[in-house]
Amino acid sequence: MQLDTLLALFLFAFTTSITPGPNNMMLFASGVNFGFARTIPHMLGIGVGFFVLLLAVGLGLGALLHSVPLVYTTLKFAGGGYLVWIAWKIGTSRSLGEGKASARPMTFLQAAAFQWVNPKAWVMAVSAMATYTSGDSYLLSVLAVGLVFALVNVPSVSTWAGFGSALRQWLSEPSRLKWFNITMALLLVSSNFYVLLGG
């Protein structure tokens, strides 16, 4: 891969990983509600799950979904339904999760599995593979795209958990936390509005 293409890929990976979307909204809310350390498995799950999704798309799953649009549409709306459920859980939460047995952050496996129904993740994966892979050395370019995202993704998404964790003290006041969680729930649902209806 040429240097200018590699730099463009790093920029694409960074901007798509750090901009608002379902993963980042959930990490922000998790940072507030559970703290940074308890959100680490969620962050790592996003990184690993997206890496596996990227490789799968690059190795043929993207072509399959393109040829069978019903499968892609089903995944897209299943992901939308799951996002609404997660948004409901966040929006109705009224206290910080520290020390509560019933409250826990998303696990590594849940976060990894979520990438497969996350419409933004699919758009990112298909776009990256269509734009930055090369027919001459296709397999190597698929691996290069995956590795660039692996290097960029977790540090990018962790900033959202860090911001949330930094606001934890201020949001420990119940009325502030209530409105924060409601706002995050609305942002989570709206983060995929365009993708679900227009993508």
Side-chain angles (χ1 to χ4, degrees):
M1 188 177 287
Q2 293 183 340
L3 182 60
D4 57 342
T5 305
L6 187 61
L7 291 174
L9 173 58
F10 265 103
L11 183 61
F12 177 79
F14 174 73
T15 55
T16 54
S17 296
I18 204 163
T19 51
N23 284 323
N24 292 335
M25 295 296 105
M26 288 189 292
L27 286 171
F28 190 53
S30 184
V32 167
N33 287 285
F34 304 106
F36 189 85
R38 289 185 67 196
T39 303
I40 289 173
H42 185 168
M43 291 183 276
L44 296 176
I46 289 170
V48 171
F50 187 67
F51 179 75
V52 172
L53 176 64
L54 265 174
L55 293 184
V57 167
L59 296 176
L61 187 58
L64 172 67
L65 293 177
H66 184 70
S67 63
V68 187
L70 179 62
V71 175
Y72 177 71
T73 302
T74 302
L75 278 171
K76 190 165 69 166
F77 284 97
Y82 186 59
L83 280 174
V84 169
W85 181 78
I86 291 172
W88 174 260
K89 299 280 282 177
I90 291 171
T92 57
S93 177
R94 295 293 178 260
S95 61
L96 296 177
E98 198 167 68
K100 289 176 62 182
S102 62
R104 61 184 182 85
M106 189 175 270
T107 67
F108 174 88
L109 289 176
Q110 288 170 330
F114 175 68
Q115 303 319 299
W116 291 82
V117 293
N118 179 355
K120 183 184 177 189
W122 278 99
V123 169
M124 287 167 58
V126 170
S127 299
M129 288 302 167
T131 305
Y132 296 103
T133 52
S134 163
D136 297 336
S137 52
Y138 184 73
L139 185 56
L140 284 176
S141 61
V142 166
L143 291 173
V145 170
L147 289 174
V148 167
F149 268 94
L151 288 172
V152 169
N153 188 270
V154 173
S156 296
V157 300
S158 68
T159 59
W160 288 85
F163 288 144
S165 184
L167 289 175
R168 222 170 130 71
Q169 181 71 27
W170 186 74
L171 290 170
S172 62
E173 205 266 46
S175 66
R176 288 182 192 150
L177 182 66
K178 170 188 169 182
W179 289 109
F180 169 81
N181 282 339
I182 289 170
T183 301
M184 292 309 296
L186 293 172
L187 287 172
L188 180 57
V189 171
S190 66
S191 68
N192 264 345
F193 186 75
Y194 172 76
V195 176
L196 287 172
L197 298 182

